[in-house]
Amino acid sequence: VFQLSLMLTQMAFEEHFSEIASLQSQHNPILLIDRGVMDGRAYCDDQAWQAILDEIGLTVVQLRDKRYNAVLHLVTAADGAETYYGTDSNQSRHELSLIHI
């Protein structure tokens, strides 16, 4: 329930700011969004994620490939310093580091 609420809130904010940006007719505004709605996937198991998609009536392709005009993937400061970072302190994190793969 939390991830669904968070996603809906994030989508509403994104749409609201996009509307505001579109009112800037004399400029070409660019919205920079730190973390897209797909980031919520890291905090759900497969069944919970599919339930969210079913609830909002969207697919992974729609969220990942069609919601944003561009996606910038930035490398973490932990790159090369993996021993200093981890998921041990946050039980909600499910992603694996390259060390574990």
Side-chain angles (χ1 to χ4, degrees):
V1 173
F2 174 77
Q3 283 300 326
L4 172 61
S5 296
L6 185 61
M7 181 183 282
L8 292 174
T9 300
Q10 181 174 350
M11 291 172 75
F13 275 126
E14 290 175 4
E15 290 160 13
H16 181 71
F17 287 121
S18 182
E19 288 175 26
I20 292 171
S22 70
L23 298 174
Q24 305 300 316
S25 59
Q26 65 265 51
H27 302 287
N28 293 318
I30 296 173
L31 294 178
L32 298 178
I33 300 169
D34 181 19
R35 300 191 174 267
V37 293
M38 282 295 297
D39 278 17
R41 175 64 183 100
Y43 303 96
C44 299
D45 61 25
D46 293 341
Q47 183 178 357
W49 182 247
Q50 189 58 54
I52 290 171
L53 295 177
D54 292 344
E55 179 72 25
I56 64 173
L58 295 172
T59 66
V60 167
V61 171
Q62 288 170 308
L63 292 178
R64 184 191 62 213
D65 301 342
K66 297 182 179 180
R67 184 163 180 83
Y68 306 104
N69 292 329
V71 175
L72 304 176
H73 177 78
L74 305 177
V75 177
T76 177
D79 192 24
E82 290 83 359
T83 57
Y84 300 103
Y85 296 89
T87 58
D88 297 338
S89 63
N90 186 339
Q91 294 178 356
S92 297
R93 308 255 344 224
H94 302 288
E95 64 269 17
L96 298 174
S97 72
L98 291 177
I99 292 172
H100 297 109
I101 296 176

